[in-house]
Amino acid sequence: MAVHHPFDEVPPGRIRTWFLPCFATTVVVGAALLLLDPGGTGIVGLEVAGSVAAAREAMAVWDDRDVIHAAFGVGLDYLFLLAYSTTIAIACVWARRVFRHAWLVTLGGVLAWAAWAGGACDAVENVALLDMIRGPVESPAPQVAAACAYLKFVLVYAGVIYALGAALTRLARRAP
């Protein structure tokens, strides 16, 4: 394991005790965020707007209630980013224990760290989102939010795909 991650210290039989509470928190907070999502393209539309004009367009359909929900949701997203990034990091550490090829084991360590880097990108993105929600929408907030959002999506989904690949590999090994 060339790339060490703090969750490597968790014994194999105990990793589930770390994963399940983080996963449950991710699901519950994620569901709350879906309920708070404002109209139109929602908060994701604002995240990826990338320009002042596109950000203003994304927010144009929001009423006062949507603005309040969006601001509260962005604040709640700080809890969500801690939960999902830690869940994915744990899943990647578990997954690297499934794979036998050295490069896949190393990739698991990289992706575990990348999940936390994705969470850090989300935190920076949230600052830009709050700046836009508070108004007025001005550069560089839409550009910062979009750059961080796209990087976050790549880092997070890479870890999810890696962990799902390990889960399928483990199932395949158990098949008769």
Side-chain angles (χ1 to χ4, degrees):
M1 291 186 209
V3 178
H4 182 77
H5 190 275
F7 287 125
D8 286 325
E9 303 302 319
V10 178
R14 305 277 306 162
I15 201 135
R16 189 175 299 152
T17 61
W18 286 77
F19 177 81
L20 292 176
C22 289
F23 180 73
T25 303
T26 299
V27 169
V28 169
V29 177
L33 288 172
L34 286 174
L35 294 173
L36 291 168
D37 202 35
T41 59
I43 200 71
V44 175
L46 185 59
E47 288 175 4
V48 300
S51 70
V52 171
R56 287 180 181 157
E57 185 179 324
M59 294 175 62
V61 298
W62 295 1
D63 59 20
D64 289 341
R65 183 176 179 217
D66 288 329
V67 172
I68 291 168
H69 282 190
F72 184 79
V74 171
L76 186 59
D77 191 51
Y78 283 102
L79 174 59
F80 185 60
L81 70 86
L82 289 172
Y84 78 71
S85 65
T86 301
T87 299
I88 295 167
I90 294 168
C92 288
V93 168
W94 168 82
R96 75 189 293 180
R97 295 172 181 176
V98 171
F99 291 122
R100 296 183 180 135
H101 296 288
W103 72 273
L104 284 171
V105 173
T106 300
L107 180 61
V110 170
L111 291 175
W113 283 108
W116 282 350
C121 288
D122 199 354
V124 173
E125 170 197 312
N126 285 346
V127 172
L129 290 174
L130 288 171
D131 186 51
M132 289 187 284
I133 292 167
R134 187 188 68 227
V137 177
E138 297 175 338
S139 286
Q143 295 84 1
V144 169
C148 289
Y150 285 119
L151 182 56
K152 166 192 74 176
F153 291 138
V154 168
L155 296 173
V156 165
Y157 288 127
V160 169
I161 291 166
Y162 176 83
L164 289 174
L168 291 173
T169 299
R170 185 165 179 191
L171 285 172
R173 286 183 189 152
R174 290 182 173 188

